Amino acid sequence: MRIGITGYPTYGGSGVVATELGQELAARGHDVHFITYAPPIRMNPNDPRIHFHQAAVVSYPLFDHSPYTLSLAVKMLEVFEAESLDILHVHYAIPHSVSALLARQMAAPRRLPFITTLHGTDITLVGNNPNFLPITRYSIEQSDGVTSISHYLYRRTVEEFGIKRPIEVIPNFVNCDLYCRHPNPQLRAEWAPDGEPVLMHLSNFRPVKRILDAIEIFALVREKMPAKLVMIGDGPDRVPAEEFARARGVERDVLFLGKQNGIREKLGQADLFLLPSRLESFGLAALEAMACEVPVIATNAGGIPEVIEHGVDGYLVEPGDVQQAGRYAIELLSRADRGREMGHLARIHARKNYCANDVIPMYERYYEQVLEGSLAARV
Ligand code: GMT
């Protein structure tokens, strides 16, 4: 199949899923065309089946903000015409599914079916903002196919938008052959020269991630034992988190690495992953950590309990309950075998439910189904 994929090319989870999906589809023989304003961060430009088409961010003195939704729609149409796309798959409803809708209309009477995958904040925080709600609902209803990355998000979409059309739940996935534990003593020695346990967090440091809670949980651990916290990513809460680490007196033990490549190698060095988010529709970073045999302490929020089984792969606490999270972390790190045992189970769970080898065929089947449906509708 010739598949167009649009998502945010930056470090957000939806962009990561869009890019990893494209890579997996290319590995299975499909031609994948990424259409967005910059090359996606995890895209392999050397894969002959992967192509990148840049949508323009046009500036003009009249525009305070570039009308990217429109230039993206035009680029989608151009790629459809030049590459004979079979289907367009957009990730994150706003504004991508609106652009796809426009592209489909401009392409008519030729057929350009599109699928929208809902990721989370496009429904729970941004899409339900009154300034966007009607257009988000409209573009979801008008999509030829819609998928949601968790059952939780499916329920929220139905409740908040009153959507009646079918939505397919296809969970996020991880490439279990690539995401696995490969000890790298040199990297660990860089972070924890005296063999201290390593805690890790990875996100875009937005307020919904509650990264100050990660610092507080770490500070509680640090009161009991030597340890290091590796913070990967960047975003609006980085400076407040650095200040808070100083205020708690743990700044020497918290390493802010900023945005990083080679995530899987780094995840595989951790002893414990922290995801204290106020809300997560899925929690992809936690799944990637689990695949690398890292147990996770996360919140019992949104779709996280679909991914992490409390007491098996790690522990779940209520959002904001840093005391309980701290107790679990201390318990887990005090006995190395406990962490290893949980990490082992976490990988088994990740492999069983979320392996790319099983999830990518779900997308392929869904593409076929949507293509057949859109053909039947025309006939
Ligand atoms: O969490 C973010 O701020 C990024 C956001 C995104 O869309 O880029 O992540 C959402 O999509 C991820 C991939 O499907 C999910 O794993 C995250 O749970 C989800 N974030 C939220 O629901 C807050």
Side-chain angles (χ1 to χ4, degrees):
M1 258 186 250
R2 287 176 296 273
I3 304 159
I5 295 186
T6 293
Y8 285 106
T10 49
Y11 284 87
S14 60
V16 168
V17 172
T19 315
E20 298 281 8
L21 173 62
Q23 311 262 133
E24 295 289 338
L25 289 166
R28 294 168 70 91
H30 301 282
D31 274 321
V32 173
H33 296 265
F34 287 108
I35 310 167
T36 180
Y37 62 83
I41 231 75
R42 290 196 192 177
M43 185 183 86
N44 174 7
N46 302 319
D47 187 324
R49 292 192 177 280
I50 300 254
H51 313 273
F52 169 63
H53 307 267
Q54 188 162 28
V57 179
V58 179
S59 61
Y60 181 70
L62 185 65
F63 302 152
D64 268 348
H65 307 285
S66 175
Y68 173 65
T69 308
L70 305 183
S71 53
L72 177 61
V74 171
K75 184 52 78 178
M76 286 168 166
L77 179 70
E78 276 175 21
V79 177
F80 162 66
E81 288 172 341
E83 308 291 345
S84 307
L85 293 184
D86 295 305
I87 200 157
L88 195 53
H89 186 174
V90 303
H91 293 258
Y92 209 89
I94 301 167
H96 303 137
S97 66
V98 178
S99 300
L101 180 55
L102 288 171
R104 186 182 71 188
Q105 284 171 357
M106 288 189 285
R110 294 159 299 170
R111 217 161 46 100
L112 176 53
F114 76 94
I115 292 173
T116 302
T117 288
L118 307 172
H119 279 271
T121 47
D122 47 354
I123 294 299
T124 56
L125 294 180
V126 187
N128 60 5
N129 177 310
N131 296 297
F132 294 124
L133 193 144
I135 201 162
T136 311
R137 180 197 288 132
Y138 183 69
S139 65
I140 292 172
E141 279 168 348
Q142 292 295 317
S143 301
D144 296 275
V146 180
T147 79
S148 155
I149 47 105
S150 66
H151 293 277
Y152 162 79
L153 187 60
Y154 165 76
R155 288 193 297 274
R156 280 288 298 264
T157 309
V158 171
E159 278 162 26
E160 296 209 13
F161 291 82
I163 302 274
K164 301 226 166 28
R165 59 158 306 143
I167 297 177
E168 189 86 359
V169 176
I170 302 184
N172 285 338
F173 57 88
V174 63
N175 184 319
C176 303
D177 301 326
L178 298 178
Y179 280 76
C180 41
R181 198 170 187 84
H182 287 304
N184 179 337
Q186 204 182 330
L187 196 51
R188 267 200 76 112
E190 246 175 61
W191 296 337
D194 296 321
E196 302 93 330
V198 172
L199 293 82
M200 193 173 281
H201 172 80
L202 157 69
S203 76
N204 47 31
F205 291 17
R206 292 195 196 130
V208 71
K209 304 291 174 184
R210 294 186 67 101
I211 63 168
L212 271 63
D213 284 3
I215 307 283
E216 178 59 26
I217 296 164
F218 175 72
L220 294 170
V221 171
R222 192 62 197 78
E223 281 167 12
K224 299 285 177 201
M225 64 178 81
K228 297 285 179 182
L229 172 63
V230 175
M231 298 286 288
I232 303 178
D234 209 340
D237 278 354
R238 175 167 176 166
V239 172
E242 285 172 339
E243 281 167 4
F244 187 57
R246 274 193 292 278
R248 288 295 271 112
V250 292
E251 74 275 15
R252 284 163 169 258
D253 295 316
V254 183
L255 289 79
F256 285 90
L257 302 190
K259 293 176 181 173
Q260 292 284 310
N261 295 320
I263 292 298
R264 55 182 187 253
E265 196 201 356
K266 295 185 175 75
L267 279 174
Q269 312 311 317
D271 297 298
L272 175 60
F273 188 83
L274 300 177
L275 190 67
S277 307
R278 176 169 70 72
L279 180 64
E280 275 311 326
S281 295
F282 187 92
L284 179 67
L287 174 64
E288 292 180 338
M290 286 164 64
C292 296
E293 296 183 36
V294 184
V296 181
I297 293 181
T299 44
N300 187 19
I304 294 181
E306 294 175 42
V307 183
I308 299 166
E309 192 178 339
H310 177 72
V312 178
D313 315 302
Y315 295 105
L316 300 179
V317 300
E318 290 309 309
D321 192 351
V322 287
Q323 295 297 330
Q324 185 59 48
R327 281 192 288 274
Y328 283 137
I330 293 161
E331 180 207 313
L332 216 142
L333 296 170
S334 308
R335 269 184 45 201
D337 58 334
R338 179 80 178 123
R340 287 290 75 246
E341 188 190 315
M342 276 194 146
H344 187 60
L345 291 173
R347 177 164 170 86
I348 292 175
H349 186 184
R351 278 189 74 123
K352 183 163 166 253
N353 299 303
Y354 301 110
C355 213
N357 292 340
D358 300 315
V359 176
I360 305 304
M362 294 185 196
Y363 275 113
E364 288 176 318
R365 285 195 290 275
Y366 192 59
Y367 291 165
E368 297 285 359
Q369 185 187 320
V370 167
L371 279 172
E372 277 168 26
S374 85
L375 194 59
R378 270 187 90 193
V379 172

